[in-house]
Amino acid sequence: MDDPDIETLRAGWHDAGGETELRLRAIRRRRWLPVIVTGAEVGAATVTALLGAWLIWHGLRAHIAAYSTLGAPLFACGFSLSIVLADARRASLTWRDETPGDLLRTGLRQVEASLRVIDIMRWYAVGILLFLIATRIVNLVKGEAHGPYTWLATGGGVTICGLYWLWLTGRRRKSRIEQRILARLLAEEQTA
Amino acid sequence: MEDVIRLYGPGLARTASSYERDPALRDELVQDIYLALLTALPRLRDAERLRAYIFKVAHHRCVSHVMRRVRERGTSSEENAVQSDDPPQEKALMDNERAYALMEAVRSLKLPYRQVIALVLEDLSYREIAEILGISESNVGVRVNRAKRQLKEILDHG
C-alpha cells in the first residue's frame, strides 16, 4: 500500500510499542491459573456429589430417611455442577472464529435474553411478595401460639423479596444501558 | 509460540492501546490477548495466514473487552477513555508526542474505523483486513478512506 498519508501515520504509529518481555513473564505465571481454578471448582463439586452419594447409601443402609433426603439434592447438584463447570471452562478456552460484528450480535442477543430472564424474575418476586402479604391479610397462616414466628417469617420473606426486586430493577437498568450501547456499536459496524 | 508473541508483541500492544486508554486495564487486555493466542495458535493450519490470524485473535479479544467494560460499567470503553485522566502516565510510556497524539486520535474514532486504521498501520493488506473483520475488500477501502479523513481532521484541529 503506497499511500503517503498512511506512510506518515505509520511512522508515528510504530513509535508506540510495549514491554513484550515483561508481559510474557506475567502470562507465564498466569497461564495455569484458569486450569487451577477450574480444577478446584470441579473438585469441590465432585466432592459434594460424592458426599451426597455417601449420604444416600448410608441412609438406605441404616434406614434413616433424613440422610437420603439430604444426600439426594447434594448428589444431584454436585454432579450437574461439576459437568456444567467443566463444560463452561472448556467453552471459554476454545477459540471461536468470530468477526467483531458476530461478537457484537452474540453480545446483544445475550443481553436481550438476560433482560427477559430479569423481567420474569421481577414478576416472580412480585408474585411471592403479594402472596406473602395476602397470607397475612386473609390470615391464612394461623398460628396464635407461634405468632411472633409467623410474623417474623412473613416479614423476612417480604423484606427479602422486596430487596431482590430492587436489585433486579437495578440490574435491569444496567442491562438496558448495555443493550443500548451494544445496539449502537452494532449499528456503527453495519453502516460503516 | 513465545517467539511468535515476541515478534508481534509491540503490534499487539498497539492494538490493545487503540481500544483501551487506562494503562492497567490495557496491560490486562494485552495479557488476555497473549493467553487467547496460546489457545488459538495451535489451531492455525495455514502458516501463511499467521499474521492475519494473530490480529484476528487480538481484535476478537479487544471487542470482547469493550463488551465486558460495557457490562461492568454501563458505558463503553471509549466513553470511559474520555473520562479517564491519566494521560501524563501514558505519555511517559510512549516514546514521543507524535505517537501519543496519533494513538489518542485513533482511539477517538468509531470502532469500525479504528479497527481498519489500526490494521492498516500494522501493514496488513486489504485482503487480510477483510478476512479479520469479516467484510469485503471494497468495504475495507471505504473504511480506510473515511478513517484517514477523520484522523487528519482530528490531528490538524485536535
Side-chain angles (χ1 to χ4, degrees):
Chain A
M1 256 175 279
D2 300 323
D3 184 330
D5 292 336
I6 292 292
E7 287 307 322
T8 311
L9 291 171
R10 198 171 279 148
W13 182 256
H14 283 272
D15 285 342
E19 309 89 347
T20 308
E21 282 304 324
L22 211 68
R23 286 175 175 135
L24 265 175
R25 273 205 296 278
I27 66 152
R28 269 187 218 119
R29 286 195 302 271
R30 259 189 68 187
R31 67 184 295 187
W32 296 112
L33 194 66
V35 179
I36 293 167
V37 170
T38 307
E41 286 173 347
V42 173
T46 309
V47 167
T48 307
L50 289 174
L51 180 68
W54 179 80
L55 278 171
I56 293 170
W57 176 76
H58 188 63
L60 290 173
R61 233 187 69 191
H63 302 290
I64 305 171
Y67 280 7
S68 304
T69 317
L70 184 67
L74 276 181
F75 176 75
C77 289
F79 184 67
S80 48
L81 201 62
S82 60
I83 292 172
V84 168
L85 284 170
D87 189 54
R89 180 56 70 183
R90 186 193 55 78
S92 74
L93 291 177
T94 306
W95 159 246
R96 284 187 297 276
D97 200 6
E98 292 169 312
T99 63
D102 293 337
L103 269 176
L104 289 171
R105 264 184 289 276
T106 307
L108 193 59
R109 269 202 304 273
Q110 283 170 350
V111 178
E112 284 165 354
S114 69
L115 269 168
R116 278 195 291 276
V117 172
I118 288 171
D119 280 340
I120 292 168
M121 294 315 289
R122 279 172 90 217
W123 281 111
Y124 179 64
V126 168
I128 293 178
L129 199 77
L130 291 176
F131 175 75
L132 287 172
I133 294 169
T135 57
R136 295 301 335 171
I137 291 171
V138 301
N139 208 14
L140 188 71
V141 184
K142 289 195 182 79
E144 282 73 21
H146 309 287
Y149 301 111
T150 56
W151 272 108
L152 199 67
T154 316
V158 167
T159 309
I160 289 169
C161 280
L163 289 173
Y164 185 49
W165 187 87
L166 284 175
W167 180 79
L168 284 171
T169 305
R171 189 56 247 172
R172 187 176 186 274
R173 191 178 51 77
K174 279 184 86 171
S175 293
R176 279 261 177 240
I177 296 171
E178 188 183 345
Q179 183 190 30
R180 215 166 35 242
I181 295 172
L182 289 184
R184 175 173 61 76
L185 292 175
L186 190 60
E188 285 171 3
E189 167 72 26
Q190 284 165 343
T191 53
Chain B
M1 191 112 55
E2 287 195 4
D3 289 341
V4 171
I5 290 178
R6 213 167 268 128
L7 180 65
Y8 290 98
L12 296 173
R14 286 190 290 270
T15 303
S17 286
S18 69
Y19 282 86
E20 181 55 71
R21 193 185 195 212
D22 185 299
L25 290 173
R26 188 169 58 230
D27 220 44
E28 211 172 278
L29 176 57
V30 176
Q31 287 182 32
D32 273 353
I33 294 172
Y34 288 1
L35 285 171
L37 282 171
L38 290 174
T39 312
L41 277 177
R43 289 164 197 272
L44 176 69
R45 294 286 165 259
D46 182 3
E48 286 194 359
R49 289 177 55 234
L50 177 66
R51 194 168 59 146
Y53 191 72
I54 283 173
F55 281 98
K56 184 169 194 171
V57 173
H59 280 271
H60 186 284
R61 293 312 304 161
C62 288
V63 174
S64 297
H65 172 81
V66 169
M67 287 165 56
R68 196 168 57 239
R69 293 276 282 157
V70 167
R71 190 160 48 245
E72 285 167 2
R73 307 274 300 265
T75 51
S76 59
S77 64
E78 57 263 44
E79 282 157 1
N80 285 328
V82 175
Q83 290 157 12
S84 174
D85 57 350
D86 53 358
Q89 196 184 347
E90 188 184 35
K91 225 171 194 171
L93 286 173
M94 289 202 180
D95 290 344
N96 63 41
E97 195 81 24
R98 184 176 58 166
Y100 176 74
L102 178 59
M103 190 56 82
E104 281 288 288
V106 169
R107 269 199 294 258
S108 69
L109 296 176
K110 285 182 177 172
L111 215 52
Y113 303 121
R114 201 186 319 167
Q115 287 164 343
V116 284
I117 205 72
L119 289 165
V120 161
L121 294 175
E122 288 301 334
D123 216 6
L124 276 94
S125 69
Y126 279 18
R127 191 180 54 77
E128 287 173 314
I129 297 172
E131 185 195 323
I132 292 168
L133 300 178
I135 56 177
S136 66
E137 281 185 49
S138 59
N139 194 208
V140 173
V142 172
R143 289 188 189 191
V144 168
N145 280 327
R146 287 180 187 164
K148 247 169 43 184
R149 208 167 41 238
Q150 288 175 22
L151 269 184
K152 197 170 165 14
E153 269 174 37
I154 296 165
L155 291 169
D156 288 350
H157 303 105

